[in-house]
Amino acid sequence: GLTDTLVLNNGTEIPAIGLGVYKAEPGEEVYQAVRSALEIGYRHIDTASLYANEEDVGKAIKDSGISRNEIFVTTKVWNDEQGYENTKQAMANSLKRLQMDYVDLYLIHWPVPGKFTETWKALEELYRDGKAKAIGVSNFLPHHLEDMLKEAEIKPVVNQVELHPQLQQKETRDFCHAHDMLIEAWAPLGKAQYFDHPTLQELAKKHGKTPAQIIVRWQYQSKIITIPKSVHKNRQEENVDIFDFTLSQDDMDKIAEMDIGNRIGKHPDKFD
Ligand code: NAD
């Protein structure tokens, strides 16, 4: 169910499915989105300094009455906050906005050239100080990880990358697997852009499920952490109602064939 976890390389656990809140509007929208997700049973929220909604995420968690230690919270250091001292300040700012004294996972949002290794040093310190229970990266290609691992004392626990049936990230997955890091999927639903794909339609029909549920189930069975976003309670429910069916090997193979390298977001070597 929704509290199923995967074990990170530092021994901590992460709920395999969470709620993403990118572009959930600060204020009522994100507040209600987090409250309804927690009511449904989500126990993992993915935010970022960039999303400008940490305050309302923190407030919703507090008001839910659920113990802090039962909810897994991820936030991220944004590109213009990177560097050793800046990152420590960025974390202090995030914790203040969240009204928390730690986050469960702190990520480097993008591999800013010339900065990410220094930023990682700050994350290592924040981890040792207990301000982050686990630390990881996002949007890192194998070459970024190779560079960083030369200097790192602590390995990232995850790499959060754009991943959905049309962008399956084989190379990055293989690299991370070899280095004991889990993959976390962003835009796991492909931003709902190709739910009409014949394979998704066929599998949805076969299992009496929706395309979104087929995709989330595929990620769950693949041991990929997934954080589908919706601010609507009915869709939040739909996206995690995936525990009453199993995709067969044949179904999984059909989804594997959907990979056409369709990148919706930015390429990690070409972002600002
Ligand atoms: P997504 O693939 O989760 O798609 C979300 C969109 O799909 C929603 O806005 C909604 O319009 C639609 N949708 C959701 N459920 C649906 C349903 N059941 N039926 C029909 N439509 C539905 O894309 P995302 O929000 O970009 O990614 C998920 C999360 O990943 C984000 O909220 C954020 O937390 C994270 N993220 C991280 C990065 C990064 O650089 N690390 C980048 C983008 C997103």
Side-chain angles (χ1 to χ4, degrees):
L2 265 178
T3 52
D4 290 1
T5 58
L6 291 167
V7 181
L8 300 170
N9 67 25
N10 69 345
T12 61
E13 290 178 54
I14 183 168
I17 304 177
L19 179 78
V21 295
Y22 179 46
K23 291 204 169 155
E25 288 294 320
E28 263 314 280
E29 183 172 87
V30 74
Y31 178 83
Q32 287 305 336
V34 173
R35 288 298 300 270
S36 65
L38 293 173
E39 278 164 23
I40 291 164
Y42 285 76
R43 289 294 179 269
H44 169 181
I45 310 292
D46 182 273
T47 185
S49 165
L50 172 76
Y51 306 167
N53 59 22
E54 288 169 309
E55 274 187 24
D56 301 293
V57 167
K59 191 169 182 294
I61 288 173
K62 209 163 221 178
D63 292 354
S64 74
I66 300 165
S67 316
R68 172 67 188 89
N69 65 12
E70 286 175 33
I71 303 175
F72 191 100
V73 179
T74 301
T75 196
K76 315 182 189 88
V77 53
W78 184 239
N79 302 345
D80 66 7
E81 299 173 315
Q82 287 199 37
Y84 182 72
E85 288 301 331
N86 285 351
T87 297
K88 289 199 291 178
Q89 187 58 52
M91 173 59 124
N93 296 344
S94 281
L95 289 176
K96 189 162 180 223
R97 289 189 292 261
L98 287 161
Q99 296 187 67
M100 291 174 185
D101 38 46
Y102 69 90
V103 291
D104 295 278
L105 179 59
Y106 198 42
L107 302 179
I108 303 183
H109 210 140
W110 288 88
V112 176
K115 287 229 172 128
F116 62 79
T117 299
E118 229 196 299
T119 302
W120 187 251
K121 291 279 157 207
L123 264 64
E124 291 179 331
E125 186 174 320
L126 293 163
Y127 175 70
R128 290 195 185 97
D129 288 348
K131 298 215 164 77
K133 302 288 183 196
I135 50 177
V137 298
S138 180
N139 300 302
F140 276 48
L141 295 168
H143 79 85
H144 298 115
L145 283 164
E146 260 163 7
D147 283 355
M148 202 180 85
L149 288 171
K150 280 182 206 144
E151 311 270 328
E153 291 171 35
I154 301 170
K155 257 192 206 178
V157 295
V158 299
N159 187 11
Q160 182 182 116
V161 297
E162 181 184 341
L163 189 152
H164 43 80
Q166 292 191 337
L167 183 71
Q168 298 191 20
Q169 299 273 20
K170 184 174 178 346
E171 201 189 330
T172 298
R173 275 161 79 178
D174 288 348
F175 184 94
C176 290
H177 188 226
H179 290 269
D180 216 11
M181 300 165 54
L182 292 181
I183 292 281
E184 197 173 356
W186 68 255
L189 304 177
K191 300 198 190 255
Q193 286 181 10
Y194 54 85
F195 285 171
D196 58 353
H197 188 287
T199 302
L200 295 177
Q201 288 293 328
E202 180 199 325
L203 293 175
K205 200 170 169 209
K206 173 180 170 188
H207 292 281
K209 288 281 163 181
T210 65
Q213 290 167 336
I214 297 296
I215 296 174
V216 174
R217 181 74 203 185
W218 164 69
Q219 287 153 347
Y220 178 75
Q221 287 184 213
S222 306
K223 299 200 173 352
I224 291 168
I225 303 156
T226 181
I227 47 171
K229 178 238 175 177
S230 178
V231 296
H232 305 293
K233 191 170 190 178
N234 60 333
R235 284 179 172 172
Q236 292 177 346
E237 267 164 350
E238 174 187 331
N239 293 344
V240 299
D241 181 13
I242 59 141
F243 300 105
D244 60 353
F245 76 110
T246 304
L247 295 168
S248 68
Q249 189 55 53
D250 187 52
D251 297 338
M252 297 291 280
D253 292 346
K254 282 187 176 143
I255 298 173
E257 283 167 20
M258 289 178 66
D259 189 8
I260 53 167
N262 172 22
R263 196 183 280 279
I264 298 169
K266 291 196 172 131
H267 189 282
D269 277 329
K270 299 172 210 141
F271 67 95
D272 301 300

